[in-house]
């Protein structure tokens, strides 16, 4: 039983897909570890936000024009907790449920920074939606994080602003 060419000669309970059925899956990525620490209260909100900003996230969606990557449209979900729609992202391809893969077969990997900056006003961010290894930021949270890390385009620099 080897994974990525690494022999599995020592029994390691974390990360085994078989163990994932018993309750919560084990965190596999650094971001997932920080999210779990944040849920447990052992990592601050700032630590969690910084980890999101500096991590890679997978956005899922579909192309609105076949074979045109510029036409990528991210999957947006209705948040069970809030009234705002959220952009669905994942920490790892293995976290994407099959029903979402069927709906949104295209995956785009980007930094957390680029992902957060690309979210339109009024939209939140869900990381690993439906999983205990996930979290959700509402639209205000997304805007606050981007502002805390130096904001988006300063007012007046966008020629489309009037």
């Amino acid at each position: 039983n080897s994974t990525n060419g690494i022999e599995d000669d020592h029994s390691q309970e974390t990360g085994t897909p078989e163990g994932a059925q018993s309750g919560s899956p084990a965190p596999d990525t650094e971001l997932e570890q920080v999210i779990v620490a944040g849920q447990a209260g052992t990592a601050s909100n700032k630590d969690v936000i910084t980890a999101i900003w500096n991590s890679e996230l997978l956005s899922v969606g579909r192309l609105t024009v076949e074979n045109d990557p510029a036409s990528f449209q991210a999957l947006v979900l209705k948040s069970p907790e809030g009234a705002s729609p959220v952009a669905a992202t994942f920490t790892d391809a293995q976290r994407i449920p099959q029903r979402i893969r069927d709906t949104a077969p295209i995956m785009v990997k980007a930094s957390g920074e680029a992902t957060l900056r690309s979210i339109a006003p009024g939209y939140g961010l869900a990381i690993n939606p439906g999983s205990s290894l996930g979290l959700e930021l509402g639209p205000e949270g997304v805007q606050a994080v981007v502002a805390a890390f130096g904001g988006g385009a300063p007012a007046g620099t966008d020629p489309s602003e009037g």
Side-chain angles (χ1 to χ4, degrees):
N1 183 10
S2 70
T3 320
N4 297 334
I6 300 166
E7 291 302 316
D8 191 24
D9 56 337
H10 54 284
S11 81
Q12 188 180 8
E13 289 173 29
T14 59
T16 55
E18 300 86 59
Q21 275 88 31
S22 63
S24 303
D28 283 339
T29 67
E30 192 175 322
L31 177 55
E32 290 172 0
Q33 291 166 0
V34 175
I35 288 171
V36 169
Q39 291 166 346
T42 56
S44 70
N45 285 347
K46 186 174 191 283
D47 292 338
V48 175
I49 297 304
T50 301
I52 294 169
W53 191 260
N54 293 320
S55 294
E56 286 196 322
L57 293 173
L58 290 173
S59 294
V60 294
R62 56 180 357 136
L63 300 181
T64 56
V65 178
E66 194 173 343
N67 298 323
D68 180 6
S71 75
F72 177 77
Q73 186 162 12
L75 176 67
V76 173
L77 301 173
K78 178 87 171 75
S79 165
E81 283 102 55
S84 303
V86 292
T89 64
F90 297 88
T91 51
D92 190 274
Q94 71 181 0
R95 300 283 180 227
I96 305 171
Q98 188 58 49
R99 69 183 192 287
I100 289 182
R101 288 175 186 263
D102 294 343
T103 310
I106 306 294
M107 278 187 281
V108 175
K109 183 182 278 191
S111 69
E113 175 184 0
T115 302
L116 283 160
R117 288 187 188 278
S118 71
I119 294 173
Y123 287 82
L125 171 72
I127 299 174
N128 295 336
S131 167
S132 61
L133 298 174
L135 59 76
E136 193 173 292
L137 285 175
E140 310 78 27
V142 170
Q143 288 177 328
V145 170
V146 172
F149 281 95
T157 60
D158 184 346
S160 67
E161 287 180 7

